[in-house]
Amino acid sequence: MKKLLTTILSLGVAASAALAGDLSLTAVKVSDKLDTVSADSALWSKAKFSTVDLYPQTAIEFNDKEAIEANKANKGKKVQVAALHNGSEIAVLVKWADGSKNVQGIKCTDTYSDGFALQFAGSTKKAQPLPYIGMGSEGRPVVVHLQKATEKVYEPNGNKDVSTQINRQQTGVFGKELAEYDAKVASLANTDFERVFVGEGFRSLTEIKDKSVKSNASMKYENKGWTGTLVRPLKDDYISASGTLPVAIAVWDGAKHGRNGLKLLSSWVAINLEGSKANNAVVAEATEVSKGDAVKGKLAAETNGCAGCHQIDKSAPAGTMAPSLVNIGGYSTAAYLRESILKPSAVVVPGYNRNAHANTPWYTIEKGKRVSTMTDYSFLDKGTVDDIVAYLKTLKVEVE
Ligand code: HEC
């Protein structure tokens, strides 16, 4: 029986490795300017497309029962990714299927929009280890570009511009004049919801509002799917890409529950800039396949009591003791998982609202530093840690 189980599990593991998306891709070098690139640009015919898998981010449960239930049924998603660069700018395209177009009405609070985000590793002296996938970690910053699908809105009063305000019921403007008026209002409308943030850890995102990042993002819905594009410099105050640029991809589905729609997230993807020397260490970190034995790792996780705090099996309740690990293998690198086991306080997932869950804090504060409440497993031997990492890498839901 044990032998059979081993075979089935290892087959499953092999299959999931074979089906996994590309975690290393190439930004094709072009000589064109990229600042006006959008989904329709002909330049994309020069790009190489890769498939990347995204998973529901399930580390922390929502404060919403309906959303928790809905999230249980959620699957991962395959997205197509391509990139171009010209030595000073990079353009990234993400294409994903979405059966319904959900556009946020600026004044509605009960509709959620589709959207996408690209998270880049921020510049640091050392490019490694990569930042925590959930919006960076202390000393390992990230830059997040967020684009949401919004409807055209024009708010004369909001803009303190009443020159184009009329009462449509009682207006003396009609016919051609009214059409001209409507066209003018439409041209003044704001259609874009593009934001850039820096972060050094979950909930630390700060918007960059001083226009110090020159970027341009847009989204287009066609044939039951979105194409999102982003152009930004390869080097600015926040990132410094040479050779390889680590990026993580997130998409939101506004039709699915969650405070901002369902979020799906990739692990770190290494984008190699064609024409320059790749940063092999970063590529290796993004693409590492643990050499451990997942079957032994499952047993080691059981004997070491990981499930005492963590939800590992979807059928077990998630609880409030620790992050759920049901999709941890989908959006984490092996290096991050190893570090989580050996040095729990290196990155601290901050957890719930501490006022609401005062009895199960995920960290305490000692001498001004966050110290994880997770057991320190640095006593485990290297082989066992590798096995547990290999097992954790298999924890992820099915991809559509
Ligand atoms: C005493 C409770 C407890 C036990 C036992 C425990 N953990 Fe944790 N774990 C936590 C807490 C709390 C966090 C969140 C704080 C942090 O980031 O360290 C965490 C975080 C993690 C993370 C990062 C999760 C994320 O979303 O990024 C991983 C991976 C992890 N643990 C793996 C394990 C493994 C593997 C075991 C068993 C060998 C284990 N844990 C045992 C409490 C525990």
Side-chain angles (χ1 to χ4, degrees), residues 59 132-133 300-301 304-310 312 321-325 328 331-332 336-337 340-341 344-345 347-350 361-363 372-375 377 380 388 392:
Y132 171 50
I133 199 74
N304 284 289
C306 312
C309 295
H310 291 281
I312 294 182
M321 291 284 288
S324 165
L325 301 181
I328 196 81
Y331 46 73
S332 307
Y336 171 73
L337 296 172
S340 297
I341 297 167
S345 298
V347 171
V348 175
V349 184
W362 292 6
Y363 64 88
S372 172
T373 54
M374 173 164 154
T375 316
Y377 287 95
L380 291 175
I388 298 177
L392 293 177

Side-chain angles (χ1 to χ4, degrees), residues 240-257:
S240 174
S242 54
T244 302
L245 182 58
V247 64
I249 301 146
V251 306
W252 279 263
D253 187 346
K256 299 211 174 146
H257 282 279

